[in-house]
Amino acid sequence: MRMDDASEWQRDGDTIRRTVVASDFRTAIAIVNEIAEQAEALNHHPDIDIRWRTLHLALTTHDAGGLTDLDYKLAARIDGIVADHQA
């Protein structure tokens, strides 16, 4: 699986990145909590940087030395979470 041209994710070497701006801090944290649930379910964890209501997300598979289908699968789940929160 790969991201389509309409995706908010951008490739940066062996990482895909996305920035999400939530409506407020509480919503940003709710998004992170839902991402955490999906990350645990997949046993694949993103790098997340929270700056007030802005989330910077990065995905890569460190032990594979780059991107794998798992990164794209989690990215798609994150996209759904973000859409649910209208961020």
Side-chain angles (χ1 to χ4, degrees):
M1 175 200 298
R2 298 294 180 255
M3 305 311 295
D4 62 33
D5 291 338
S7 175
E8 299 291 325
W9 293 88
Q10 301 295 317
R11 183 149 184 185
D12 179 15
D14 290 333
T15 303
I16 53 175
R17 299 179 186 281
R18 179 174 181 185
T19 298
V20 174
V21 180
S23 58
D24 54 33
F25 183 72
R26 183 171 290 192
T27 301
I29 296 303
I31 291 169
V32 169
N33 286 335
E34 289 184 39
I35 291 171
E37 292 298 320
Q38 292 301 313
E40 283 294 302
L42 293 172
N43 193 30
H44 191 64
H45 304 91
D47 293 334
I48 302 173
D49 179 36
I50 305 168
R51 306 293 171 121
W52 181 40
R53 62 187 189 113
T54 302
L55 308 174
H56 299 281
L57 307 162
L59 290 166
T60 191
T61 304
H62 298 286
D63 57 350
L67 294 166
T68 67
D69 284 342
L70 200 50
D71 297 300
Y72 294 100
K73 185 174 187 175
L74 182 54
R77 290 187 185 188
I78 290 170
D79 288 346
I81 292 165
V82 170
D84 287 347
H85 287 277
Q86 301 175 344

